[in-house]
Amino acid sequence: MYAANATHTGGWRGFTALFLAGVILLAQSLFARAWLRRFRYGPLEWGRRCAKWWERVPLRRPAV
């Protein structure tokens, strides 16, 4: 009987977790779009490129 209850997500708890995951995904998506509209690379990718090439890579997109 315990094993059957161990897999149950718990009604409102499961819904709340799913809703929170959706909100976080939406927020990350909006932030990424705003970031990539202004910059060429994400912050970790930019740091990795600078470390690999041993020089500072331009981060901002050129003004149009």
Side-chain angles (χ1 to χ4, degrees):
M1 187 177 228
Y2 178 74
N5 289 337
T7 59
H8 183 61
T9 57
W12 285 105
R13 270 193 308 175
F15 175 76
T16 304
L18 188 60
F19 178 75
L20 184 60
V23 168
I24 291 171
L25 184 63
L26 179 65
Q28 286 180 337
S29 177
L30 293 173
F31 179 77
R33 286 187 82 176
W35 178 276
L36 291 174
R37 205 176 296 133
R38 189 168 183 183
F39 299 105
R40 289 182 185 194
Y41 312 110
L44 294 177
E45 183 181 1
W46 176 77
R48 182 188 58 83
R49 286 176 187 258
C50 290
K52 181 180 176 185
W53 296 339
W54 288 95
E55 64 182 36
R56 186 164 183 192
V57 179
L59 180 61
R60 288 190 179 262
R61 288 190 180 272
V64 177

